[in-house]
Amino acid sequence: ADAELVVGTQRMVVLPSAARLVKDGKTRAFVVTNGRLEERILRLGPAKGDLVGIVKGVAAGEAVVTGDLSALVNGQPVL
């Protein structure tokens, strides 16, 4: 038998897979801050489909980059 127990709920930021990059065994995202890219290491929460909860690394309302993240560099200007 399978059972699921919901103990509580928690609101958190979610990101699609297109906004996440796995490099050196760590999941990262690029956030736009003051016209530049800031690479952040993420601590992941639960996933559902293409979305994953972010426990630490990106705050609600921050702009994240999606797409080909492998070509981006920390500190790169955003045009």
Side-chain angles (χ1 to χ4, degrees):
D2 291 324
E4 182 176 326
L5 176 63
V6 178
V7 191
T9 60
Q10 178 182 357
R11 295 178 66 98
M12 65 178 58
V13 174
V14 295
L15 292 180
S17 61
R20 300 185 315 261
L21 171 70
V22 178
K23 186 168 92 176
D24 300 327
K26 296 185 180 186
T27 304
R28 304 156 190 269
F30 285 95
V31 177
V32 179
T33 305
N34 297 322
R36 295 197 174 275
L37 295 179
E38 185 175 295
E39 186 175 3
R40 308 250 184 100
I41 295 175
L42 306 177
R43 191 166 78 194
L44 305 179
K48 184 168 185 174
D50 186 46
L51 300 175
V52 67
I54 306 301
V55 175
K56 186 175 181 180
V58 176
E62 289 187 303
V64 296
V65 179
T66 60
D68 183 15
L69 305 180
S70 62
L72 301 179
V73 178
N74 189 40
Q76 178 178 340
V78 176
L79 305 175

